Amino acid sequence: MSHCSGYSDPSSFAEDGPEVLDEEGTQEDLEYKLKGFIDLTLDKSAKTRQAALEGIKNALASKMLYEFILERRMTLTDSIERCLKKGKSDEQRAAAALASVLCVQLGPGIESEEVLKTLGPVLKKIICDGTASIQARQTCATCFGVCCFIATEDITELYSTLECLESIFTKSYLKDKDTNVICSTPNTMLHISTLLAWTLLLTICPISEVKKKLEMHFHKLPSLLSSDDVNMRIAAGESLALMFELARGMESDFFYEDMDSLTQMLRALATDGNKHRAKVDKRKQRSVFRDILRAVEERDFPAETVKFGPERMYIDCWVKKHTYDTFKEVLGSGMQYHLQSNEFLRNVFELGPPVMLDAATLKTMKISRFERHLYNSAAFKARTKARSKCRDKRADVGEFF
């Protein structure tokens, strides 16, 4: 029990999702492995503890294990708390990631409230600790936002969490009016994570609190659009689009005083051709800001469709998009499975009760690892062949001229 090698590689849970768990091992086998991982969170080796935390997280992200978790939630919470308090950067990140998925499994209720009550003060301390690693603080910020979104019933706790997150990302606001560009720092990625977590929680605030936050941030947040970090620019732009959506939901004739200067900034980012920026960053930025500009100017949203199993979900507003993106970051490849099976997520996205499928239908929906490999290989060959033809044509044209 003192070595992780006595159990399956934790990454195996995430590699192929719930199908592999069903095919290659029974529920009893899975629970046996998980019990071993839970024991290993107490191991003396930091690497072993980290691998155990990741193994549990990957399993919970790829399969619903509510009953199993319910019986062991206090043990798991204690292990997470211990690893957050005593662990270093990677172990803290693994512990915070597990805490997020644990709350997703438990859903809203007294059980997840108890998890947040225990872990909330520890997460807050790490987020605000300038000596802690930036990566650990980032993951803790996302975890704090997600757990609060799921579990908080106390409105004062929600407001306290918002203030904690605000105290971090507002440090990126433009302070010198003579400066046109916000230079990124080692803390920029932390500021992005806290901004996104804050934006998620804003979507569940009472209208009175939303109005206060909009008044406080509507005229300061646009300064983040001048950051030299593309991810910060995009996070700020998407948060602004969501805030406009909330404001117009409360007041259909909502008026923004600095609309001309804001749309000018958004249009510049949507058509950015600065040579000093990487092509990939410019392409990504232009695509996102075209949508943001349409949202601000025309109140339009480019609807997306997410398919999972025999179902599909329409993402038709910024609130739903931001919520989906957040939980996709937490669950990774397990997002589709949870959309099918997790009652909490189905309630969040208004999908109704889980659709019951018989074994024959499930079997027809599955694709084996070998079949997926063949499909990917064929697609790769087709793309290579198409590129070769295109190159041959260009060569012919060059010779002609």
Side-chain angles (χ1 to χ4, degrees), residues 124-292:
K124 189 180 289 188
K125 185 177 179 181
I126 295 172
I127 293 166
C128 299
D129 182 2
T131 62
S133 88
I134 297 296
Q135 292 81 3
R137 294 171 73 191
Q138 271 183 263
T139 311
C140 286
T142 301
C143 172
F144 201 20
V146 167
C147 293
C148 195
F149 180 89
I150 297 168
T152 298
E153 287 294 329
D154 183 357
I155 200 72
T156 57
E157 183 61 36
L158 174 61
Y159 294 167
S160 172
T161 306
L162 284 167
E163 288 172 7
C164 169
L165 297 169
E166 278 174 339
S167 70
I168 304 296
F169 74 78
T170 52
K171 291 175 183 175
S172 272
Y173 281 170
L174 197 62
K175 296 174 181 66
D176 186 354
K177 291 183 179 180
D178 297 329
T179 305
N180 294 323
V181 178
I182 297 175
C183 296
S184 58
T185 68
N187 289 324
T188 298
M189 292 309 294
L190 170 64
H191 295 175
I192 293 169
S193 295
T194 52
L195 171 60
L196 294 176
W198 177 86
T199 305
L200 176 72
L201 294 181
L202 191 65
T203 66
I204 60 170
C205 282
I207 289 176
S208 58
E209 186 66 16
V210 172
K211 286 183 177 179
K212 286 180 187 176
K213 296 300 181 186
L214 293 183
E215 287 174 9
M216 189 185 302
H217 295 280
F218 241 146
H219 298 286
K220 296 178 181 178
L221 193 59
S223 69
L224 299 182
L225 297 173
S226 63
S227 171
D228 63 0
D229 185 289
V230 65
N231 294 310
M232 174 60 91
R233 295 195 296 273
I234 289 173
E238 291 187 338
S239 293
L240 276 168
L242 186 146
M243 288 164 69
F244 266 94
E245 188 173 272
L246 291 177
R248 287 163 174 167
M250 293 183 292
E251 299 175 24
S252 59
D253 57 347
F254 170 75
F255 176 74
Y256 183 70
E257 293 176 0
D258 300 325
M259 183 63 101
D260 289 342
S261 61
L262 177 60
T263 52
Q264 189 176 347
M265 287 179 75
L266 295 176
R267 190 170 288 106
L269 291 167
T271 57
D272 191 359
N274 282 338
K275 292 182 179 180
H276 67 275
R277 286 180 180 155
K279 285 185 179 179
V280 176
D281 287 352
K282 284 190 287 189
R283 195 178 301 119
K284 179 181 176 184
Q285 175 185 288
R286 287 196 292 258
S287 173
V288 172
F289 275 94
R290 280 196 293 269
D291 294 339
I292 294 169

